[in-house]
Every structure is written in structure tokens, then in C-alpha cells.
Amino acid sequence: MRLVLTICYLLSSYLLSAADNLLLQSPHKKVQASLYIQQGKLMYQLAAGKHILLEPAYLGLQTDHRQVGTGVDNITIARKYTITETLPSRINSQFATNHCTVYIITIRSKAVQDTIEFRLFDNGCAFRYIPAGTGHQLVKEELTSFKIPASSSVWYFERNSDWKLKSYAGLWQQTAIEKLPLVSSQGAIQGKPLVIQLPSKKYIVVTEAALADYSGMRLKAIGNNTLQVNFTEGPAGFAVNGKLQSPWRVVLYANNLQELVNNQVIEDLNPAPNTSLFAETSYIQPGKSVWSWITRNEHYMEPAEERKFIDAAAALQFQYTMIDEGWETKWPNKWQQLQELCAYAATRKVKVWVWKHSKDIRDTIQRNNFLDSVQMAGAAGVKTDFMNSEAKDLIDFELGFLEATAKRKLMVNFHGCQAPTGESKTWPNEMTREGIRGMELNIMKEPIPAWHNAALPFTRFLCGHGDYTPGFFSNKANTTYTHQLALLYLFNSPFQCIAENPITLLNDPVYQPILPLLKTLPVTWDETIVLPGSKIGQLAAFARRKGKDWYIAVINGTDSATAFTLQTSFLAKQKKYKAYIVSDAPKDAGFAATEQNVHNKYSNQFNLPATGGLVIQIKSE
């Protein structure tokens, strides 16, 4: 790790155009935030050059003691410095640069001095509150607002039930910012992120980062194109003991989808791992997993059946098997049987994950006893489920669980939870989390449409990894076989749990053309390029590199056939490549596979059927 930190202390206030009017700029002045006082209230706005990203809106929060950001006398920049650090990226498995200008702002209200910290990136802006005082405080409300420019369009997720904000398992769809307060059957409160295309066709994303010791941020559309921070606890608020510091309120900025997908501001805002707790990380291993739950039959969870899944995992060169709900009730001597299964899996070079309902381990003593038993049995990770809230007590549970598992060298998969906020940088044993409408909905009579899949790479996956459990070929709803295959390459999850029964994959001739791809499927990437033609909800097309190999994955999110032109200018010049091309067989009868020689100037038009897909593996000769 190379770290360069340049600090410039300001000995006096940094007042620009007028008193109590501060201009904050990113390192190359691409993004600017203006802070000012209006009738005693702290206000801000955001711009990128001549483009307005956010119009003037309120800052502040309400505690049981007082309001921060109201009754403000003056604001000053107490300190300004630049961060430039090169760190391993969790997004693309390579080194990336965190470069931002930090402003520590002092807010004076009568005799009280609060702090708000801004970080300006060339592709985003983030801020957090650090109110005066220590000890117990009750956060009653945040006044933080985001005023979106008129005529913008907003991507949000929708589910017509109260599960919408419990599990973040809604369908991604689009509306005008003016309609957002009334568009949802579940009310005006939306989950994060909200992805917004501005009238200029540029993009912003409103979300949060480094959620800890706080309630998760939701966003309420309050009219006048304005979103206000909202909490699960409502007016009752939530208690914070010790020094109060909010998570980062984040606005990502991108000129196009390529910049949007590769924006890593969320990751940059999270602290590095504890070097003592994560001194040894060899147990943290990305990989593919088989899963018996979603295709379960009358033999589900019988130890003999699970051994068959382990054998299939080994044959497919998968690293893991997921032992899901039911093992604790179906196995008479669960710990002995788990130990035996882990031992058997080890002979096949496969490791075991186990499922646990979160309600049974909310108590720390019960949690620790359970995790001790899991560790002693030889399992590699735990999937815990049904938190069903981002209230502060559940956020505390998640972070406590990550710490407890790290102490035992166990990996984690969260289900029934909110979207990530970059915590896997701080807690690298978090391999994935749900907070997404994934393939399990296909067995719940809520089949996933193709347009939802074509939106996900540009919406939910901007926040981080997602356990969508892709590749459900035998229950693919209105998508095609190759559409399902492409999801394995489009959706990020270092623990990639594949839905299809692995025994079916090995034995059904329809899957023979894709077995080589499944066996070599990467689950982390070195580089991602959003290809021309991509459009949120209509077409998702990525070129992704792992080592020297490239993979093209395309899905059609529409009900009409569409043409996609691939140009491989991203390939190295003076090299020859072999492409293994998988497309949809006629009448959705399976896969059609061909091989071609390709090069840096290769160009070809592919015809994708309605809701179809395309996958190409490109290897140098």
C-alpha cells in the first residue's frame, strides 16, 4: 500500500465571495459545493462546472438536545487538506486512487460549535455531521435534503408490500422526479440508492457510505423535487452513545454509464480494516457456490443429498456449498453431522457455508456460542437472514456479527437486509449481501422481468456486491438461457451462489456448451468497461477482464429483438485472440456456441432475441 497524505492547515477562516459563503472544490475543480447561511439555516448546493447537480437545500439534524444547522451565526473552514492514496480496490481487484479535498467546517450557533466534514471528489461529494458534545444523544431527525433539478428522471425500486424497505427486494423502475412523492404504492419513502439522470444526460446517485453506529438512511420525497433523509425509527429517533458522527451522505457524479459503474467513492469513504483483527486473511476466499435450497426436492437437506451437491461442486470446480435453512431441524445430531459433512467436503476441495436465522443470534452469548460451534465443525462461512430492517439496533447487530465472525475467521453473507454502504472494505470477511430482488422471487410467484436485470448493473450494484443468486436456467421466467448465463458475469458477488441445481448442469445435455465457462467463471474482476449501446433497463453490456482473459456479457431487457454491435478496441494490439461465443439457440431451445478469431479491430453485429443474452470468452492465443 502506498499512501501520500498532504495536509494544509488554514490558520484563518476561508471566506470566499461573501461572509458566511464558502466554496468547496474537488482536487481538479470538477465538482464544487457552496455552503451558506439563509435566515439562520445552513444551506448547500452542488455543481459540476456549469451543470447544476443539486439545487439549494437544507443541512442539519435534530437531537434531543438541540438542532444542528439551525440558528447558525457563521461558518468557517477550520481546516483543508488533500488525500491521495493508492489502495487495493474491492471493486475491480486492482489498485485504485482515492483523491479528494477535505474541508472541516465549523458551524457556530450561539455558544455551541459543531463540525461538518465535506469531501469533494472529481466524481462526487460526501459530507457527515460531527455535533458538539459526547455521551448519550437521541437523533430525532435529519434535516439533510437533496433538491434535484427539474425534469430529471429517477430510478428507484418498487415492491407492492411492506417488504419493500425491509429487504430492499423491489423491481427497479423509472419515473420523473416530479412524480416521485406519489408514484409508490408504499408511500413517499424510498430506499437507497436513487439513481438520477439529469436534463444534461449526466448522472448523480444519492446514497450513503460507512454506515455504523447510526440508523440506515432512507429518502423521503417531500415535494418540490426534494428528498429528505428519513429513518426507520420515525419521530421516536434512535440513541447514540459516545461521540455522535453520522455516516457519509453521498452524491456520486458521472458523465456517462462507464464513469457511473466505475465510481468508487463509496468504497473510498470507508475506513481501512483493523490491522490486528485482519492480520491474517487467508480464510477470505472469493468463490462459486452450489445451493440446494432453491431447487429443493423431497430429499432436501438429507446428508446424502448434500453430499451429491458437494460432488457436483467439485466436478464444476466450485469452491463452496451453501447449507441453507433446515439443517438444524432436519439433522438429529446437527453439529456432528455438520462436522462430518465439512470433513467430506474437504476431501473434495469444497468448503461449507451454513444458514442461520438472525433472531436466534441477536443475543451476543447465543451468537458467540453458535459461531464457536460453526468454527469447530469446520465450516467456512455463515449466511444470516431476516434482519428485515435498517434501524440502528439491526445495523449494530450486523457490525457486531462481522466482528465476531472475523475473530473466528469466518466469512459472512447477509440476507433480508439493506443495500451495502461499502462496509466490506472495513470488514473484508463480508463476501456478499442480499438487499436486492434476486432469483428466489421466481419461486415465489413474483418472477423477475428482464428489464429489472438490465437496470441492476447501473442501480443497486453501484453500492456494492449483491447476492442475487443468478443462473436459474430451469426457472428463468421471461428471460432466455443465455440471458441467465450473462448475469453470472454482470452481477458482482465475491461469493457467487448459483441458483441452478449443479447435478442438472452436469447431466442435462443442454448445458454442455457452457460447462467450460462455469468451471472457469471469475467472481472478481480486474477491469470493467461499459460497452456502447448500454441503457438502464434496456440493455446492459459489459466487457470485463480477469488476468489476460476478457469476457463480454450482454442482456436485452426488452420484449423486442435488438441488435448489438461489438467492437473490441479494448484488446491489446498486435495480438491474436480466440473467442468462444455463446448466444441463444432458436426458439429458446438452449445455447448456440461457436468459435471465432478476433483482434483489436474486430467488429460484429449480434442479434439478441427478446429478453435474450450474449456471452463471449476471449482468450489470447
Side-chain angles (χ1 to χ4, degrees):
M1 177 179 71
R2 179 174 62 85
L3 174 63
V4 178
L5 182 62
T6 305
I7 302 179
C8 174
Y9 289 93
L10 300 187
L11 301 179
S12 60
S13 62
Y14 187 67
L15 301 180
L16 297 175
S17 58
D20 300 331
N21 188 343
L22 308 180
L23 176 64
L24 319 180
Q25 296 179 311
S26 66
H28 296 100
K29 300 182 180 180
K30 293 183 178 180
V31 173
Q32 309 89 34
S34 298
L35 269 68
Y36 60 96
I37 302 169
Q38 180 175 289
Q39 297 178 339
K41 294 183 178 181
L42 185 60
M43 307 283 291
Y44 81 113
Q45 60 184 355
L46 195 64
K50 297 180 180 179
H51 300 286
I52 300 299
L53 305 183
L54 291 176
E55 296 181 351
Y58 292 118
L59 294 172
L61 58 84
Q62 169 83 52
T63 71
D64 54 340
H65 299 148
R66 59 194 181 83
Q67 280 193 346
V68 177
T70 301
V72 178
D73 297 320
N74 63 74
I75 52 175
T76 59
I77 296 177
R79 187 155 60 103
K80 172 188 174 184
Y81 59 94
T82 299
I83 293 176
T84 303
E85 56 183 352
T86 303
L87 298 167
S89 170
R90 290 277 292 184
I91 295 175
N92 282 327
S93 300
Q94 61 184 7
F95 284 86
T97 299
N98 170 16
H99 191 200
C100 65
T101 305
V102 181
Y103 295 86
I104 307 299
I105 312 296
T106 296
I107 309 167
R108 291 187 175 85
S109 304
K110 297 181 180 178
V112 181
Q113 180 173 297
D114 298 302
T115 299
I116 183 169
E117 179 180 351
F118 268 79
R119 293 194 180 184
L120 274 293
F121 301 79
D122 286 335
N123 57 351
C125 171
F127 56 88
R128 62 181 174 183
Y129 302 100
I130 310 173
T134 58
H136 181 280
Q137 293 192 65
L138 191 68
V139 178
K140 303 283 288 183
E141 182 184 21
E142 254 197 53
L143 308 177
T144 308
S145 298
F146 308 87
K147 187 171 182 183
I148 312 301
S151 302
S152 296
S153 60
V154 183
W155 283 91
Y156 68 102
F157 63 84
E158 183 59 84
R159 190 177 189 184
N160 188 22
S161 74
D162 64 357
W163 280 96
K164 174 181 176 176
L165 293 172
K166 289 180 179 179
S167 61
Y168 273 51
L171 291 167
W172 281 91
Q173 47 201 285
Q174 186 180 31
T175 192
I177 183 60
E178 290 81 4
K179 297 180 180 178
L180 194 60
L182 300 174
V183 73
S184 173
S185 62
Q186 295 302 302
I189 298 172
Q190 302 292 341
K192 56 186 177 283
L194 291 181
V195 179
I196 298 153
Q197 187 169 28
L198 302 169
S200 63
K201 303 304 179 184
K202 299 178 186 297
Y203 297 92
I204 61 171
V205 180
V206 179
T207 188
E208 71 178 328
L211 172 58
D213 200 24
Y214 213 78
S215 184
M217 181 185 81
R218 309 186 305 179
L219 295 159
K220 184 175 183 179
I222 60 174
N224 195 27
N225 304 339
T226 301
L227 309 165
Q228 183 177 347
V229 170
N230 175 274
F231 300 118
T232 305
E233 293 86 350
F238 56 90
V240 176
N241 294 310
K243 182 64 178 175
L244 174 58
Q245 176 178 277
S246 76
W248 294 99
R249 280 62 189 100
V250 181
V251 181
L252 308 179
Y253 167 65
N255 289 294
N256 49 53
L257 294 179
Q258 166 71 7
E259 292 182 7
L260 187 67
V261 166
N262 286 283
N263 189 308
Q264 67 169 58
V265 165
I266 294 173
E267 180 180 0
D268 291 340
L269 291 165
N270 279 265
N274 180 297
T275 55
S276 176
L277 187 60
F278 291 102
E280 197 277 301
T281 58
S282 62
Y283 70 96
I284 301 173
Q285 293 290 333
K288 298 165 287 187
S289 180
V290 299
W291 185 34
S292 61
W293 179 85
I294 199 167
T295 57
R296 58 194 182 275
N297 57 26
E298 66 273 17
H299 301 296
Y300 172 69
M301 209 48 69
E302 293 177 4
E305 183 76 0
E306 294 305 320
R307 283 184 172 85
K308 291 180 183 178
F309 271 72
I310 290 169
D311 292 341
L316 287 166
Q317 300 176 22
F318 285 17
Q319 292 74 33
Y320 299 110
T321 183
M322 169 60 72
I323 307 301
D324 213 289
E325 182 180 13
W327 69 278
E328 293 185 276
T329 56
K330 288 179 177 287
W331 295 357
N333 192 340
K334 61 182 181 181
W335 293 117
Q336 180 181 337
Q337 288 178 268
L338 178 60
Q339 186 175 32
E340 292 172 355
L341 196 69
C342 291
Y344 177 78
T347 68
R348 311 291 281 137
K349 297 184 178 179
V350 173
K351 295 181 180 180
V352 176
W353 285 64
V354 295
W355 179 94
K356 185 67 172 178
H357 199 303
S358 65
K359 68 179 176 59
D360 297 328
I361 49 174
R362 304 281 174 88
D363 176 81
T364 56
I365 295 176
Q366 291 178 317
R367 178 199 68 194
N368 291 342
N369 288 339
F370 173 77
L371 293 177
D372 286 341
S373 298
V374 170
Q375 182 190 35
M376 290 176 62
V382 180
K383 172 182 175 180
T384 190
D385 206 344
F386 295 117
M387 283 72 77
N388 297 342
S389 173
E390 56 189 315
K392 182 180 178 294
D393 60 333
L394 274 303
I395 301 302
D396 292 344
F397 164 78
E398 290 181 11
L399 297 185
F401 192 76
L402 285 167
E403 181 177 10
T405 48
K407 289 178 178 178
R408 294 161 176 83
K409 294 181 170 54
L410 294 169
M411 293 176 284
V412 175
N413 177 358
F414 287 117
H415 265 232
C417 60
Q418 74 287 347
T421 64
E423 54 276 299
S424 60
K425 177 182 175 181
T426 308
W427 304 96
N429 61 323
E430 180 184 307
M431 303 306 289
T432 193
R433 66 167 53 215
E434 198 178 28
I436 192 170
R437 189 182 187 89
M439 288 307 297
E440 69 177 45
L441 273 298
N442 276 19
I443 67 170
M444 299 176 183
K445 299 182 180 180
E446 297 183 51
I448 294 178
W451 48 262
H452 170 73
N453 292 337
L456 283 174
F458 313 110
T459 53
R460 160 61 179 80
F461 277 102
L462 300 178
C463 292
H465 50 220
D467 193 21
Y468 176 98
T469 64
F472 203 1
F473 303 103
S474 61
N475 192 345
K476 53 191 173 54
N478 73 328
T479 67
T480 67
Y481 282 96
T482 311
H483 182 115
Q484 287 294 312
L485 179 66
L487 301 182
L488 301 173
Y489 298 87
L490 287 170
F491 294 169
N492 291 329
S493 184
F495 176 78
Q496 190 69 282
C497 187
I498 295 174
E500 189 54 68
N501 187 311
I503 301 169
T504 302
L505 292 174
L506 288 166
N507 295 332
D508 190 331
V510 75
Y511 301 111
Q512 291 303 306
I514 67 167
L515 288 183
L517 292 176
L518 296 179
K519 291 177 180 179
T520 59
L521 171 70
V523 296
T524 59
W525 301 98
D526 298 326
E527 186 176 355
T528 297
I529 299 172
V530 180
L531 296 173
S534 293
K535 189 173 182 179
I536 303 177
Q538 295 185 28
L539 186 86
F542 281 9
R544 312 194 86 166
R545 182 177 60 82
K546 183 67 174 180
K548 296 180 180 179
D549 298 336
W550 283 91
Y551 298 84
I552 312 301
V554 187
I555 56 172
N556 180 3
T558 74
D559 293 328
S560 302
T562 189
F564 168 75
T565 300
L566 173 64
Q567 295 180 320
T568 56
S569 56
F570 51 85
L571 295 176
K573 296 179 180 179
Q574 314 304 326
K575 277 192 175 184
K576 295 181 180 179
Y577 296 85
K578 181 75 71 174
Y580 184 68
I581 303 169
V582 179
S583 56
D584 287 301
K587 299 181 180 179
D588 195 23
F591 305 97
T594 59
E595 287 188 336
Q596 286 186 17
N597 293 320
V598 298
H599 47 79
N600 174 262
K601 297 186 181 301
Y602 172 87
S603 179
N604 191 26
Q605 180 174 289
F606 295 90
N607 295 313
L608 276 64
T611 71
L614 174 70
V615 171
I616 305 175
Q617 181 189 54
I618 302 177
K619 300 176 72 71
S620 58
E621 292 186 322

